Amino acid sequence: MKFVDKKDFFSDDIWSRTLNPEIQDELLSINEKEFFQLIVDNDVFKQQQQVKRNVPHLTRFIKQSCHYTLPNLGVCSALEDISGNSLKSVVTSFHDPKFLISNKKNHEVEKMSEIISHVANQCDIKMVIDLGSGKGYLSSYLALNFGLIVLGIDASSSNTTLACGRNFRLYELLKKQQQKQSVSGTICVHDFNLVSGEKEKIHFCGKENISNCCPSKNIPNSSSELLINAEGFGRFVPITASIKTDTVLEDLISQAKHEIEHQLPTENPLVNIIDTDPILLCGLHTCGNLAAAELKLFSRSQQIKVLLNISCCYHLLEEEFWKNTFDKEGDKDPMDVGFPLSSVLRQKKFSLSRNARMLACQAFERISQKGEIPTKSQFYRAVLQVIIRDKCGTSRSDYRVGRLMAKCNGFVDYVRQSLKKLKLTHLQITDEEILNYLKQYEPEEDKVRAFLQLRLCLAPCIEALILLDRLMFLYEMTSVEKAHLVQLFNPLTSPRCYALVAFKNAA
């Protein structure tokens, strides 16, 4: 099945060119609910259900696509294979700060911090480097809840500033919590003047506004001072840096030490880290090429003994053997490609394409459980592409309008706003012509729905390929003793739920 661009569905006659007649007929013979039942039903592949639904070709396609997913390939390790026992046993007495982050992020931070702290304890590791640390959700939790020294690295300076302010506020809240628990043994979120569900609306806004959060405190002016003026607070040090293929670990640590050494270096445990101390390298939803850069950094550094990475945003990966038609000459640095990594696929000069990687980002389990795909916006976009082709005399695929449909009042408004965004307002087309296009293709909307459903079945297969390529890359390293793929999150809560965990040889 070709990974075509959905907006070309009508303009390139995707339905007829990519699907055989048997699959076409069976797709149109069942409704959306029945299709997803084929996927989620545990007994989907029993003979009686195939006869009952009378869609043998479709059932066979779904069965084959389901086979090539991580849960069914038998390549994933159980969490117990890594932890050895219940991870809950390592959680400290601190209350989970659920009132500071969304339910999704809390689920991710809680699960990932548990395995990190457990592995760090097993391997006698005191320091963690968190790549793509963002606002410091994971980093601050590891530092305050488990006492680990954490160097958070993010390419965005605004994220680094926000992480400083948020970490200080979190420290203050946890300190109040401990004080209250020591008196009454209970804790109430409302004692912190936080409204349930506000999430980030509690002024985690960096040094410029942090005095509004804690007006009674003497807040330092620089982020470096902010990190070290609270007891135990300096265990989390966020810095701004970009990770590339040639990034050197020692340079990152030196940068972090430089930011604090002119303040009160004796009070920050990071300054005592030496080049022989083992390090755990982690990344929670590292975006695009950052995941690949993290694996390469792990492979180069002798000091990094453990890797724990969960990636996301596969569509932003740079491929070595696929040329993006939207790229200008010289845009791609051949040293910073993110796929493929393993020699197995590199020898084959294997490529996916952006459309395939975009598909891998789909929340397969969520959509399957919900039982529907938002088809209308895709249908509108496909008809718009026909209009552009007819009026411009070209079928270029680099026209991107984004998520405009939610802001539009009907198809005519959608076309008008899209043409404005694409700077194609010079095209001569009346409202009546636009409605005629819509009328012409409305009978075909069911085909768009059916095609998107079938296409979705391949999403977990592509993700499996990307992650298995990375697992093979780790196994090809002579210094790696063992490597695992493990499902760490609930996919309904966090669709990118698979973690790569690797351990280097003790020697």
Side-chain angles (χ1 to χ4, degrees), residues 451-462:
F451 179 80
L452 293 177
Q453 289 170 353
L454 191 67
R455 191 173 180 268
L456 178 68
C457 294
L458 299 177
C461 304
I462 305 169

Side-chain angles (χ1 to χ4, degrees), residues 157-206:
S157 58
S158 61
N159 275 346
T160 303
T161 301
L162 287 166
C164 292
R166 183 184 182 280
N167 195 40
F168 185 87
R169 179 63 171 160
L170 179 59
Y171 169 78
E172 291 295 308
L173 295 177
L174 290 175
K175 187 166 67 173
K176 287 182 180 180
Q177 173 189 323
Q178 287 181 303
Q179 292 171 349
K180 180 157 186 176
Q181 284 178 322
S182 64
V183 175
S184 65
T186 60
I187 185 69
C188 177
V189 170
H190 296 289
D191 289 342
F192 301 143
N193 297 318
L194 302 178
V195 179
S196 177
E198 280 194 333
K199 301 175 186 176
E200 287 302 316
K201 294 181 181 179
I202 54 174
H203 306 297
F204 292 152
C205 47

Side-chain angles (χ1 to χ4, degrees), residues 89 107 146 152 162 169 253 320 349 353 378 446 469 475:
S89 63
H107 172 73
F146 295 102
L162 287 166
R169 179 63 171 160
I253 297 177
E320 182 175 0
K349 295 187 176 181
S353 82
Q378 306 292 348
D446 278 349
D469 171 62
Y475 271 118

Side-chain angles (χ1 to χ4, degrees), residues 15 27 92 269 304 315 334 349 358-359 394 422 430 457 463 480:
W15 178 262
L27 276 170
T92 71
I304 302 174
H315 61 294
K349 295 187 176 181
M358 282 287 290
L359 182 57
T394 178
L422 297 173
T430 65
C457 294
E463 181 179 32
V480 170

Side-chain angles (χ1 to χ4, degrees), residues 93-110:
S93 58
F94 279 124
H95 183 276
D96 295 338
K98 296 181 180 179
F99 45 86
L100 295 184
I101 52 181
S102 67
N103 289 335
K104 175 181 180 293
K105 184 59 68 176
N106 183 78
H107 172 73
E108 295 164 352
V109 168
E110 183 182 71

Side-chain angles (χ1 to χ4, degrees), residues 240-466:
T240 303
S242 296
I243 305 300
K244 300 293 184 181
T245 298
D246 57 353
T247 297
V248 179
L249 173 68
E250 289 75 15
D251 292 344
L252 297 175
I253 297 177
S254 296
Q255 179 182 341
K257 289 182 177 180
H258 178 73
E259 291 196 12
I260 60 176
E261 65 183 0
H262 299 301
Q263 302 297 324
L264 297 174
T266 57
E267 293 189 18
N268 194 299
L270 178 62
V271 299
N272 298 319
I273 294 293
I274 58 177
D275 58 10
T276 57
D277 290 331
I279 291 174
L280 186 151
L281 181 65
C282 73
L284 174 54
H285 288 157
T286 47
C287 186
N289 281 354
L290 182 57
E294 181 169 5
L295 268 65
K296 293 174 183 178
L297 179 60
F298 175 68
S299 69
R300 292 194 308 273
S301 173
Q302 295 182 348
Q303 195 172 358
I304 302 174
K305 301 300 182 182
V306 180
L307 169 79
L308 204 160
N309 172 265
I310 298 178
S311 56
C312 67
C313 302
Y314 303 126
H315 61 294
L316 297 178
L317 279 172
E318 291 283 356
E319 293 195 52
E320 182 175 0
F321 304 110
W322 178 78
K323 178 175 175 55
N324 189 339
T325 56
F326 308 139
D327 287 343
K328 297 179 181 178
E329 194 68 28
D331 278 356
K332 182 189 299 185
D333 185 344
M335 295 298 293
D336 284 326
V337 295
F339 181 86
L341 296 181
S342 68
S343 61
V344 175
L345 293 188
R346 293 191 72 250
Q347 288 171 2
K348 297 178 181 295
K349 295 187 176 181
F350 191 91
S351 66
L352 282 170
S353 82
R354 186 177 187 275
N355 289 328
R357 289 181 276 109
M358 282 287 290
L359 182 57
C361 297
Q362 292 289 309
F364 177 76
E365 287 83 2
R366 281 185 184 175
I367 297 173
S368 298
Q369 187 181 75
K370 189 176 181 180
E372 61 180 14
I373 294 179
T375 305
K376 184 64 71 174
S377 61
Q378 306 292 348
F379 170 67
Y380 275 14
R381 185 61 185 88
V383 179
L384 172 66
Q385 189 70 6
V386 176
I387 295 175
I388 294 174
R389 180 200 63 187
D390 291 350
K391 295 297 180 179
C392 291
T394 178
S395 57
R396 283 173 52 188
S397 295
D398 56 345
Y399 292 119
R400 299 178 183 175
V401 301
R403 300 178 179 180
L404 268 181
M405 182 183 163
K407 306 174 184 178
C408 298
N409 183 22
F411 184 64
V412 173
D413 188 32
Y414 173 82
V415 172
R416 294 298 182 198
Q417 290 199 39
S418 297
L419 294 179
K420 181 178 180 180
K421 183 172 183 178
L422 297 173
K423 299 180 180 180
L424 296 174
T425 52
H426 61 280
L427 297 183
Q428 298 298 317
I429 185 169
T430 65
D431 290 356
E432 184 179 2
E433 284 182 280
I434 293 174
L435 291 174
N436 285 337
Y437 273 103
L438 180 64
K439 184 178 180 180
Q440 177 185 350
Y441 286 100
E442 272 182 332
E444 307 291 304
E445 186 172 355
D446 278 349
K447 292 182 179 179
V448 177
R449 170 192 58 79
F451 179 80
L452 293 177
Q453 289 170 353
L454 191 67
R455 191 173 180 268
L456 178 68
C457 294
L458 299 177
C461 304
I462 305 169
E463 181 179 32
L465 178 62
I466 294 171

